[in-house]
Amino acid sequence: MRLSRVEVSDFRKLTRVLVEDLAPGLNVIAGDNEAGKSTLLAAMRAALFERHRVTGQVIEEMLPYGRQVRPTVEMDFSLDGSDYRLLKAFGSRPEARLVGAGGTEWTGDEADDALSRILRFTRPGRGESKPDQHHGAFGMMWVSQGTAHQTPSLGAVREQVAGAIEREVGEVAGGEHGRAMLQLAAERQALFWDKLRRPRGEYRKAAEDLTGLREQRDMVRGRLRELEADVDRLGLIAARLEAYSAEDTLGQARVSASAAHEAVLALGTLQQLVATASDSAALAELGRRNTTRDQAARSGMIEAVRRSAAGLEQDRQAANEARGRLERLQSAGHVARNSDTKAVADEQAARQALAKLQAADKARRLREFVARGQQMLTAAEDLERSRLEATALLAAIKVDADAMARLETLAAAIAEAKSRLEAASVRLQLRPQFGGAAEVDGVILEAAEFVISRDTTVHLYGFGDIDVRPGGGVAGLEAAVKAAEAKLADALSALGQPDMGAARAAWEHFKAARHELPSLRQSLAALAPDGIERLRFDLAVGTAELDQLGDVGGAEAVDALEVAKRRAADCAEVAAQARAALEQANKQAHGAEAELAVATDREANAQRIDEQARAALAEARLATSDAQLQEFEVVAATAFEQATLALEAARTQLRGAEPDLVQLRHDKAVKALDATMANIEQLKRSQIQLEASLQAHGREGLGEQLAFVEGEIAERDARLERLLVEARAAVLLSETLVQAQRETKERWLRPIHERAAPYLSLLRPGSEVALDEDTLELNAVRRDNIVEPFAGLSLGAREQIAVITRLALADILADGGQSACLVLDDPLVNADRHRLERMHLVLHKAAERHQIVILTCRERDFLSMGAHMVRI
Amino acid sequence: MSFRFLHTADWQAGKPFGNVPGDAGAALRRQRIDTIANLAKLATEQQVDAVLVAGDAFDSNEVEDRTINQVLAALSPFAGPWIFLPGNHDAALPHSVWSRLRRLSSSDTIIIADRPEPIELQHGSAVILPAPLRRRRESSDLTAWFDAAATRPGAIRVGLAHGSVANRLPAGSEAANTIAEDRAQSADLDYLALGDWHGTLQIADKTWYSGTPETDRHRDNQSGNVLVVEIDGHGAVPRVTAMPTGAYAWRRVEVGLIDGRAGGVSRALEGLEVDHQRAVVELTVTGIVSLAERHAVELELSAWRARLHHLVVDDAGLREEPTDDDLDAIGAGFVGHAVERLRAISQEPAHQDRDAARVALRMLFLDHMNAKGSQ
């Protein structure tokens, strides 16, 4: 399509705009801001794509504000070699007229339909048409202001583009169906493998089951092998037992043992013979020893008789010697006894003489004692009397220290009362003149001083009476005096004392008696320490003793007494010596008697022994004579010799029978029998145990288990094999699909890449646009294998890439036979100067194939581009 | 006096069928016992004098006691005598299922022939000569002793053995525990009752394999029978009648989808003249099909899995070849490119992802159908 003229009147704010002589290539329609460039684009779209009888909101938006006009658009364009003139008027008088090649004219709805047909677009059922859905290729190639940076939305033109590509590439993309197949393949793969490509699900379980079954099989196999080994063992045991039975091993062992036993018994007989000979030899030995011992005993007895006779003789001599010594000592004892008798008599006489003298001396001293005692008794009796008197006095006088103190207190109280009375009394000094006198209480008083302590009438002679009345409580004081006096009188009376003076005298007596009494007691004690009665008794005793002595003289001289004493002492000494000599003689006599007794006993004992020895010897000889004894000894010696020879012969015979060998053979045979029996027993026991064990194992049915498990393994193995192939197939399918999709995609998008490449080489050499193979929407820009998402590019880059993509798609459409001009409303506002210049080159290049109309308010940006410039 | 007996073998009671998951496997296990009970009823109906079990009555010596008890219970419809020969699966080891069975049953009509000694029946008019396996594999011919085994004059001599008759069995069969092919003749046997080969087969003169009474594997060998044998007297020709006893039909089916038309699988399976609910089928599918047809085959197989007792499918030989129609259906664009790429991989024999690429194509087609269905 190529536009050549556009005239718009009364469309929105455009009253009238005419753009004509548009170039086939690059055109720039420049205008100031608000000049109406975008409105111009809207008017062109309305003219081509809206029905002329459109109403409602759509027409409202076409009308200038507040004016009821008739928005009208006229366009001249050429398409596929044909020129067209279009008139579209909207509003109150809508009109559509299209004049085509050769003057063909469509009007009204036909004109609208004709447009739809030749421009390949569809209108919405109602309402305003939307560029991406209803404007066909123009939806993509006419770009409104501010949307140039957006990815081109193919919308309705997608099928046209895809058709063009398929025609060029010769194949189709997978589309929805392909995606579904991919999805199913991925899902199937996920049934077998997880994301880390490890088996999962049924596949994994089958492998695990198989592993488990193989383990189970191995276990059962192991147990079966054990079982078979047991069966083999059982067979061996049975074979051995059978062999034992066949060879009669046990019977042979028994025979051997029995023979060995017989040999041992024979050996026992020989041993018995040796034992008997040994016993006989022992007996002969004993007999020989006995005769020898008897012979020795007889010799001993003869020797004993000889020794006892000698001993008797010796003891007898000793006894005779003892007797002689005793007799000598007894004689000396007589002499000593006589001397002693005489000394005793002398001593007796001397003692008698001394006793007499001592009695006389005692009478004298008794008499002196009686006389002195009498004196002392008298004095003591005097003292006792004085003591009794003083004691009686102390008892009679009641005035003791306390009583005397009380009395003195009472007397002092009286004196004090009196003093007070006196002080209160009237002291009357009578100093009569003229010899006058006065009478008071009937007492005539002369010159005197007296005291009046009560109402008293003093009669003065010659004067008359004077009543004296002492004041100040005299009467009380007087009563006190009397009361004190009464107390004293009572106290005295109680003590039996008439007055205070007597009392004081009695107190003095008391004190004197109390002072005297101790000295009296001391004196008395000195005279009669044990009391007067004792003194009296001692005196009476002395007197009695004296009377008893009678007249013994008493006048002998003390010297005589002393002589008599010495005499008596001498006699006593002589007597003592005589007695000592006697005792010595007696003692020696006793010793000699004891020795004699001993000697006599020994003699008697020796006599008895001698008799016994003789008797024993006689008795023994009576039983067996000495000659017989000698004969016995010879016989026994011979018997012993013979028995010894017999024993040696028996022993030689036993040694010849080889007892150790016989015993060894016996032990060996017995052990062999035992071992054979134990072996058979052990084998039978093992047989029973093995049979029991096998019986128990048999119940488990290991054979069936193994066969079953092996069958299962075979079946599971086949199943796993299938699953393995399926699992690999799932991966292979998924990967093959993905690979095929990638390759197909690359092939399918190659036309777009090829179309975009020349433009991109001007702007971003080495870059490639990446589009979704289904929607053909721009996804990313790829350069040097680095993929940059479209949305991540800068605004300016997005504008530029999007414009280039549109150009590439326009190329494809054009190559597919559908050319459309590009109208870009301020498309490169974000480009820097360098990029803008590059884009100018791009647009120039594109303009070689397509008409391009740029609407802009930035006229200067495009001045250098060399485009056809139109200003509105 | 004639001797009429039932010859059977290879019950393999306790075989677990672990490779058949779920209820299907459990039913196969249970059926082996039920078939024994049916066999016992048949023995009574046929008024046989004895039942000879020529080895492998049990799947192993290590079956559960429960299995032994179930077998004992299943024997009850026939009073006996039952003569059991230990086979290679249940060899008379020092401890075996037989020693356990003796503990669990005191029946005197159950005779365990675990010693190579003659067993007289019918008061000596018939003698069984057993060749029990006392190990799982024997290097010598255990039936050799039959030749010299003395029996009463005129007694019917029946050999009972378990193993492979030399030079007679099909190639590939197990060659252990060999039995001389002329044993019946050399031992003057009237009949040699054999076990080990699971199909019913006369292998030599007077020498038969009864086969298992209940098929247990996919092998086209006429299994699922017992033999009723009647011998009129020593030297007489035995009359042998095979009686079907198997409850489940084990079938191998191979389907070639070379023509590229759907429905081949169903046609082949429909053609099986068996009760589908009692069919255990191993299906091998080969051919080259379009993705759409591959999808249709999957749907068919899914339906057949529900109809058959058990279905095992080997589709390793089935190739997908996306057609233009497939590609048109899947769509152009990159998905079409992916299909091309996967197809290329699937057609490279040495490519490590070859199988995965084939499955991926199927998946893509399935996704496509699902996506289309949801639109």
Side-chain angles (χ1 to χ4, degrees):
Chain A
M1 185 190 199
R2 181 191 147 202
L3 291 171
S4 54
R5 190 183 76 92
V6 181
E7 183 175 356
V8 180
S9 53
D10 296 327
F11 195 96
R12 296 188 193 170
K13 63 184 176 186
L14 292 178
T15 306
R16 183 173 178 276
V17 168
L18 172 63
V19 178
E20 54 185 351
D21 299 329
L22 286 169
L26 201 53
N27 299 276
V28 173
I29 299 175
D32 298 334
N33 283 331
E34 301 302 317
K37 301 182 304 297
S38 299
T39 307
L40 179 62
L41 178 57
M44 287 161 66
R45 278 179 168 149
L48 291 180
F49 304 115
E50 302 297 348
R51 290 184 180 279
H52 69 287
R53 288 188 290 105
V54 71
T55 57
Q57 184 66 28
V58 180
I59 189 66
E60 288 296 322
E61 288 184 0
M62 293 182 191
L63 290 171
Y65 182 72
R67 293 173 59 195
Q68 287 301 319
V69 292
R70 186 171 175 248
T72 305
V73 183
E74 284 184 45
M75 293 174 72
D76 290 350
F77 61 91
S78 62
L79 184 68
D80 299 332
S82 301
D83 292 330
Y84 296 89
R85 170 159 288 185
L86 173 67
L87 170 74
K88 269 287 181 70
F90 303 94
S92 53
R93 285 180 293 113
E95 182 184 356
R97 187 170 67 247
L98 176 66
V99 180
T104 308
E105 181 175 323
W106 298 271
T107 58
D109 290 342
E110 285 184 354
D112 287 341
D113 292 342
L115 275 174
S116 173
R117 191 167 55 252
I118 63 172
L119 296 179
R120 301 184 196 180
F121 70 88
T122 56
R123 289 198 177 84
R126 52 182 302 180
E128 186 183 21
S129 64
K130 293 185 172 58
D132 60 340
Q133 292 178 24
H134 307 114
H135 294 187
F138 300 91
M140 178 191 69
M141 291 196 279
W142 289 15
V143 181
S144 302
Q145 188 179 30
T147 63
H149 64 282
Q150 295 173 357
T151 177
S153 174
L154 272 70
V157 81
R158 189 254 165 219
E159 294 306 320
Q160 293 167 34
V161 175
I165 292 173
E166 283 164 9
R167 279 192 295 279
E168 180 176 332
V169 173
E171 64 175 312
V172 296
E176 190 65 32
H177 179 255
R179 276 197 296 281
M181 300 301 279
L182 263 176
Q183 176 65 25
L184 286 170
E187 286 172 2
R188 187 193 301 282
Q189 183 180 340
L191 291 177
F192 294 98
W193 308 97
D194 66 10
K195 289 177 180 171
L196 299 175
R197 197 57 77 80
R198 291 177 304 204
R200 58 167 299 192
E202 189 186 7
Y203 176 41
R204 178 177 170 179
K205 187 174 181 307
E208 288 172 351
D209 284 353
L210 193 58
T211 304
L213 282 171
R214 284 186 174 136
E215 286 170 0
Q216 190 182 348
R217 177 194 61 192
D218 293 345
M219 189 268 288
V220 175
R221 269 186 187 163
R223 294 189 60 195
L224 258 178
R225 274 197 293 276
E226 289 171 13
L227 198 69
E228 286 166 2
D230 279 353
V231 172
D232 290 345
R233 272 200 293 278
L234 191 62
L236 286 174
I237 288 170
R240 284 177 66 186
L241 282 173
E242 207 168 323
Y244 278 144
S245 177
E247 294 163 9
D248 193 21
T249 309
L250 187 59
Q252 287 177 3
R254 281 192 176 122
V255 167
S256 297
S258 180
H261 185 63
E262 291 298 326
V264 167
L265 287 180
L267 191 66
T269 307
L270 284 177
Q271 285 170 334
Q272 188 61 41
L273 276 174
V274 170
T276 307
S278 178
D279 288 348
S280 299
L283 273 176
E285 165 76 7
L286 193 64
R288 187 178 62 86
R289 282 184 187 168
N290 283 344
T291 53
T292 306
R293 189 196 60 213
D294 289 348
Q295 187 62 36
R298 178 62 53 87
S299 302
M301 287 172 82
I302 293 167
E303 175 64 19
V305 168
R306 189 191 60 78
R307 276 203 305 273
S308 66
L312 178 61
E313 184 56 32
Q314 193 175 358
D315 290 343
R316 194 170 283 155
Q317 286 176 5
N320 289 337
E321 287 172 5
R323 270 185 212 104
R325 196 160 50 245
L326 179 60
E327 282 170 6
R328 285 193 299 276
L329 286 171
Q330 282 173 341
S331 178
H334 279 299
V335 173
R337 196 169 298 120
N338 291 337
S339 300
D340 180 60
T341 304
K342 185 178 178 291
V344 167
D346 291 348
E347 185 186 9
Q348 193 72 30
R351 285 184 187 277
Q352 286 173 353
L354 178 60
K356 195 176 175 181
L357 284 173
Q358 283 175 333
D361 184 58
K362 185 178 177 183
R364 182 186 54 81
R365 281 189 278 115
L366 278 172
R367 277 192 292 275
E368 286 174 3
F369 171 74
V370 168
R372 196 168 60 247
Q374 202 67 46
Q375 288 171 352
M376 285 170 69
L377 181 61
T378 304
E381 285 172 343
D382 289 345
L383 284 170
E384 179 66 13
R385 267 193 306 277
S386 297
R387 188 187 67 84
L388 290 172
E389 283 171 7
T391 303
L393 184 65
L394 283 172
I397 296 170
K398 295 176 181 174
V399 183
D400 56 9
D402 290 344
M404 197 62 223
R406 275 195 310 277
L407 288 175
E408 287 297 349
T409 303
L410 289 170
I414 292 168
E416 186 181 353
K418 281 181 177 175
S419 295
R420 284 179 184 160
L421 181 63
E422 191 179 341
S425 298
V426 176
R427 192 170 299 269
L428 196 63
Q429 188 78 41
L430 292 176
R431 282 184 313 265
Q433 295 179 344
F434 309 120
E439 184 181 344
V440 180
D441 294 339
V443 177
I444 298 165
L445 299 171
E446 292 177 353
E449 187 186 69
F450 59 95
V451 175
I452 299 170
S453 54
R454 66 181 182 272
D455 289 356
T456 305
T457 302
V458 180
H459 181 72
L460 298 175
Y461 291 108
F463 179 78
D465 290 341
I466 299 169
D467 291 334
V468 180
R469 291 179 174 76
V474 175
L477 294 170
E478 191 175 17
V481 168
K482 283 185 175 164
E485 286 175 341
K487 280 186 181 173
L488 181 60
D490 288 345
L492 288 169
S493 174
L495 294 170
Q497 297 299 326
D499 55 29
M500 214 31 210
R504 286 189 179 110
W507 168 241
E508 289 301 324
H509 284 305
F510 184 85
K511 286 197 289 187
R514 198 169 58 188
H515 178 69
E516 185 184 24
L517 200 52
S519 63
L520 284 173
R521 282 186 185 131
Q522 286 175 359
S523 299
L524 190 56
L527 286 175
D530 299 324
I532 292 174
E533 285 307 317
R534 177 72 191 190
L535 192 58
R536 272 192 199 110
F537 177 75
D538 292 343
L539 197 56
V541 169
T543 305
E545 285 184 10
L546 195 58
D547 288 344
Q548 210 172 17
L549 285 173
D551 189 8
V552 291
E556 285 90 352
V558 176
D559 295 341
L561 184 58
E562 289 298 317
V563 170
K565 281 182 180 174
R566 278 197 296 276
R567 167 70 183 158
D570 291 342
C571 286
E573 191 179 345
V574 169
Q577 287 172 351
R579 204 159 36 246
L582 179 60
E583 284 173 1
Q584 179 67 26
N586 284 341
K587 193 174 174 182
Q588 287 176 343
H590 285 312
E593 280 173 1
E595 285 176 4
L596 178 59
V598 169
T600 307
D601 284 348
R602 290 182 66 173
E603 183 186 1
N605 195 34
Q607 179 75 36
R608 187 175 43 79
I609 289 168
D610 183 53
E611 285 168 0
Q612 284 175 347
R614 285 175 192 283
L617 181 59
E619 191 179 356
R621 278 177 174 158
L622 198 62
T624 311
S625 67
D626 292 350
Q628 282 175 319
L629 271 182
Q630 283 175 356
E631 187 185 340
F632 288 164
E633 192 174 13
V634 171
V635 169
T638 307
F640 173 68
E641 194 174 342
Q642 286 171 351
T644 304
L645 287 172
L647 175 61
E648 189 54 39
R651 280 179 176 160
T652 303
Q653 192 179 358
L654 182 59
R655 275 197 297 275
E658 295 184 298
D660 290 346
L661 189 65
V662 170
Q663 191 61 45
L664 210 56
R665 281 182 181 146
H666 174 264
D667 293 349
K668 177 172 155 288
V670 168
K671 278 181 183 168
L673 178 60
D674 288 348
T676 305
M677 287 170 73
N679 199 9
I680 290 171
E681 184 63 26
Q682 176 63 34
L683 284 171
K684 284 181 176 171
R685 204 160 43 238
S686 299
Q687 190 179 31
I688 290 167
Q689 285 171 351
L690 272 174
E691 278 174 352
S693 165
L694 288 166
Q695 190 73 14
H697 279 302
R699 281 195 282 274
E700 297 175 34
L702 289 173
E704 278 175 281
Q705 285 181 31
L706 179 63
F708 185 81
V709 172
E710 283 175 338
E712 269 197 314
I713 285 172
E715 193 269 331
R716 298 294 181 92
D717 218 3
R719 186 155 169 270
L720 182 64
E721 187 63 32
R722 283 198 301 277
L723 282 170
L724 177 63
V725 173
E726 285 180 22
R728 285 169 57 194
V731 173
L732 182 64
L733 175 60
S734 185
E735 289 179 350
T736 306
L737 281 171
V738 168
Q739 176 70 14
Q741 185 202 35
R742 189 164 57 242
E743 291 171 5
T744 302
K745 189 173 162 184
E746 285 173 3
R747 273 200 305 277
W748 208 74
L749 292 174
R750 192 172 303 129
I752 299 176
H753 294 152
E754 287 172 357
R755 301 301 194 288
Y759 305 125
L760 281 168
S761 69
L762 294 172
L763 184 71
R764 296 160 65 103
S767 295
E768 190 177 61
V769 288
L771 281 74
D772 182 282
E773 77 274 20
D774 288 322
T775 63
L776 296 178
E777 286 183 353
L778 183 54
N779 283 336
V781 177
R782 203 161 41 222
R783 180 160 64 180
D784 299 335
N785 287 330
I786 296 172
V787 177
E788 292 179 88
F790 180 71
L793 299 172
S794 70
L795 209 54
R798 272 189 275 165
E799 277 179 350
Q800 295 146 25
I801 298 293
V803 166
I804 285 172
T805 304
R806 284 185 168 87
L807 294 173
L809 292 170
D811 283 352
I812 285 174
L813 281 172
D815 292 340
Q818 187 183 1
S819 67
C821 67
L822 282 96
V823 179
L824 308 170
D825 187 358
D826 263 343
L828 301 166
V829 295
N830 294 299
D832 58 33
R833 181 150 301 282
H834 173 70
R835 297 286 177 189
L836 189 60
E837 186 190 345
R838 290 282 171 163
M839 282 307 292
H840 286 177
L841 296 175
V842 168
L843 290 170
H844 254 291
K845 185 169 183 59
E848 291 172 0
R849 296 193 66 189
H850 310 288
Q851 183 189 37
I852 298 173
V853 178
I854 296 171
L855 302 169
T856 183
C857 59
R858 301 152 70 96
E859 184 180 343
R860 280 193 302 176
D861 284 353
F862 295 95
L863 279 176
S864 62
M865 195 166 65
H868 174 68
M869 184 74 72
V870 179
R871 197 161 285 106
I872 60 169
Chain B
M1 183 182 269
S2 67
F3 180 43
R4 183 178 168 82
F5 62 94
L6 210 121
H7 169 200
T8 180
D10 299 293
W11 297 353
Q12 291 192 215
K15 183 163 182 168
F17 296 101
N19 56 337
V20 181
D23 293 343
L28 293 177
R29 285 196 291 279
R30 195 169 52 247
Q31 184 59 47
R32 300 201 81 70
I33 303 295
D34 292 346
T35 297
I36 295 168
N38 292 337
L39 188 149
K41 287 175 197 159
L42 183 67
T44 301
E45 287 166 13
Q46 292 291 323
Q47 297 180 326
V48 298
D49 300 315
V51 177
L52 273 55
V53 187
D56 287 358
F58 290 95
D59 191 46
S60 84
N61 267 326
E62 290 80 26
V63 296
E64 282 185 272
D65 278 0
R66 173 201 297 274
T67 304
I68 300 173
N69 283 320
Q70 285 175 341
V71 168
L72 287 171
L75 301 181
S76 60
F78 179 63
W82 295 85
I83 298 167
F84 286 100
L85 180 81
N88 61 320
H89 276 258
D90 51 6
L93 303 177
H95 177 89
S96 68
V97 69
W98 304 111
S99 53
R100 290 161 59 203
L101 188 141
R102 281 195 174 102
R103 281 197 176 88
L104 294 170
S105 168
S106 57
S107 170
D108 54 2
T109 61
I110 296 174
I111 299 164
I112 298 163
D114 57 353
R115 304 181 77 83
E117 295 166 354
I119 299 167
E120 290 191 343
L121 297 173
Q122 295 184 306
H123 309 291
S125 63
V127 179
I128 311 300
L129 304 175
L133 286 173
R134 300 176 80 176
R135 290 183 296 189
R136 291 184 179 86
R137 296 172 74 91
E138 291 285 358
S139 54
S140 61
D141 182 352
L142 296 179
T143 63
W145 77 277
F146 293 176
D147 293 356
T151 54
R152 296 186 192 195
I156 297 170
R157 291 163 64 93
V158 177
L160 185 59
H162 188 90
S164 305
V165 175
N167 308 318
R168 294 294 180 107
L169 282 174
S173 58
E174 200 171 355
N177 305 320
T178 52
I179 299 165
E181 57 186 318
D182 60 347
R183 182 62 65 204
Q185 190 180 354
S186 65
D188 190 22
L189 298 176
D190 295 299
Y191 187 82
L192 177 54
L194 296 176
D196 198 25
W197 180 252
H198 281 212
T200 303
L201 182 67
Q202 182 177 12
I203 201 88
D205 187 33
K206 298 183 180 179
T207 305
W208 285 77
Y209 282 103
S210 65
T212 177
E214 183 63 48
T215 310
D216 62 345
R217 63 186 76 163
H218 289 105
R219 214 164 171 177
D220 190 14
N221 59 6
Q222 299 299 312
S223 59
N225 303 302
V226 296
L227 299 177
V228 177
V229 182
E230 187 161 18
I231 304 168
D232 291 336
H234 181 54
V237 176
R239 289 190 296 282
V240 180
T241 312
M243 308 282 282
T245 48
Y248 284 93
W250 291 62
R251 294 289 183 272
R252 266 188 179 149
V253 179
E254 293 184 1
V255 179
L257 297 178
I258 303 169
D259 59 351
R261 281 184 295 174
V265 168
S266 290
R267 277 195 299 280
L269 294 174
E270 289 285 2
L272 288 173
E273 293 177 351
V274 294
D275 176 1
H276 287 130
Q277 290 187 359
R278 284 185 170 269
V280 182
V281 179
E282 187 180 272
L283 175 67
T284 305
V285 190
T286 55
I288 300 172
V289 294
S290 68
L291 289 176
E293 281 179 16
R294 184 69 177 85
H295 185 60
V297 168
E298 280 300 329
L299 295 176
E300 271 186 286
L301 290 172
S302 177
W304 276 102
R305 280 195 178 90
R307 286 182 65 183
L308 298 170
H309 182 74
H310 184 57
L311 173 63
V312 182
V313 178
D314 175 8
D315 57 358
L318 186 62
R319 298 273 181 275
E320 295 82 3
E321 180 64 47
T323 61
D324 291 342
D325 288 345
D326 289 335
L327 294 176
D328 287 346
I330 290 172
F334 72 87
V335 181
H337 290 305
V339 171
E340 288 294 341
R341 193 161 300 168
L342 290 171
R343 183 169 59 176
I345 295 171
S346 74
Q347 289 174 346
E348 275 186 52
H351 200 292
Q352 60 173 6
D353 282 337
R354 184 183 176 215
D355 291 340
R358 289 178 50 215
V359 176
L361 277 172
R362 242 178 288 157
M363 287 172 170
L364 186 60
F365 192 79
L366 183 66
D367 289 346
H368 163 69
M369 297 302 287
N370 288 339
K372 204 169 82 173
S374 64
Q375 280 173 3

